[in-house]
Amino acid sequence: MPTPIGNPGDITLRAIEVLRRVGVVASEDTRHTYRLFQSLEIDARLVSYHDHNEESRSRQLLGLLREGTDVALVSDAGTPLVNDPGYRLVAAAVEADVPVRPLPGATASVTALIGSGMPNHQFHYVGFLPRKEAARRAALTALRSTPATLIFFEAPHRIVAMLADLAAVLGDRPAALARNLTKDDEEFLRGRLNELTARLRVEQVVRGQFTVVVAGSPEAHADEDRALAARLTETLVRHGAEARLIREVVREVTGLPRNWVYEQVRLATERSGPLGNS
């Protein structure tokens, strides 16, 4: 179940209720979770669950689940399994026909997307890129033609190098940096990748946890817009709309150039026979 990503008030009432009644809480860092539980007056048995003991601890927790003990899985911040351990336990529980009930709550990726100003009808969560430059650029090359808005996480000591690689591989796209989400010093930096890189370079020491939101491929978006325009044109022609109206609607919806839209409408009209007054 999700825990706050910064502001402790973001934990849900349902999560508090569940944490107070389960038999065991599996936590990535029990010290961190213990402090949260103290503030919420939760007295629960804590066991560690992290990358280094995930396989053995999953077997142990699955045994408890089979015996009828309720187990909650939490991460240090945000939603478990999203860039955190937990998949192995959930997969084992599903295979063993043990009920799994995910709870909604805080997540940095969607929170950053909402505040970024980037298109959000389609997005691709990437998480952390590889630390080495060559591997990082190879991973970005595979994402270059993705039309969806891209969402990354990055540590403060690598953020400048990561942004520079984003610009080098993807091009100087619009982007937004969300720093220290939900905390008192939450900050959004918006602009193009090269501009954002330059803004962080002047900071003597870059601090904070970053969620990076980057616009999808402009070429892919153009292809999507043209496909949408073609479908919209054919539909409006089929329903008997006037050519003038079709041109206005298609241009307003897609923002494509006037000459291209006029040509598509002309061709669709010729295929279907003459329409009304154009």
Side-chain angles (χ1 to χ4, degrees), residues 98-112:
V98 173
V100 176
R101 293 189 173 89
L103 271 63
T107 175
S109 55
V110 175
T111 303

Side-chain angles (χ1 to χ4, degrees), residues 46-249:
L46 284 168
V47 297
S48 62
Y49 186 91
H50 46 71
D51 290 331
H52 302 295
N53 71 352
E54 186 175 5
E55 184 173 358
S56 60
R57 189 68 85 190
S58 292
R59 290 195 298 268
Q60 178 188 353
L61 294 174
L62 183 59
L64 292 173
L65 289 166
R66 283 173 167 159
E67 294 170 3
T69 301
D70 288 332
V71 175
L73 173 65
V74 301
S75 67
D76 286 350
T79 303
L81 278 71
V82 180
N83 214 73
D84 282 325
Y87 163 77
R88 198 185 301 269
L89 175 59
V90 171
V94 170
E95 185 176 352
D97 203 26
V98 173
V100 176
R101 293 189 173 89
L103 271 63
T107 175
S109 55
V110 175
T111 303
L113 176 65
I114 291 170
S116 68
M118 298 287 105
N120 57 27
H121 62 284
Q122 184 183 20
F123 61 92
H124 182 117
Y125 167 75
V126 182
F128 284 97
L129 289 166
R131 298 183 180 187
K132 300 292 186 180
E133 179 181 337
R136 188 164 58 235
R137 291 199 173 203
L140 288 172
T141 299
L143 296 168
R144 190 158 46 196
S145 61
T146 301
T149 298
L150 303 172
I151 305 176
F152 306 89
F153 293 152
E154 194 51 273
H157 60 283
R158 287 194 300 269
I159 185 66
V160 172
M162 181 258 206
L163 290 174
D165 285 343
L166 284 172
V169 177
L170 303 181
D172 192 21
R173 299 184 186 181
L177 306 182
R179 174 157 45 183
N180 295 336
L181 281 168
T182 77
K183 297 181 180 179
D184 291 340
D185 58 347
E186 174 184 282
E187 180 182 25
F188 275 90
L189 302 175
R190 302 176 182 88
R192 291 194 170 270
L193 286 167
N194 283 331
E195 175 190 353
L196 295 174
T197 304
R199 290 174 69 177
L200 289 187
R201 284 190 193 278
V202 302
E203 297 186 11
Q204 188 171 5
V205 179
V206 179
R207 303 187 188 278
Q209 296 300 315
F210 288 88
T211 305
V212 182
V213 185
V214 182
S217 167
E219 292 81 7
H221 281 302
D223 290 341
E224 285 185 341
D225 288 341
R226 284 190 287 268
L228 172 61
R231 293 196 302 272
L232 186 57
T233 300
E234 294 290 348
T235 300
L236 290 171
V237 168
R238 192 167 60 250
H239 284 79
E242 293 184 352
R244 182 186 297 111
L245 175 63
I246 297 173
R247 292 194 294 261
E248 291 176 357
V249 169

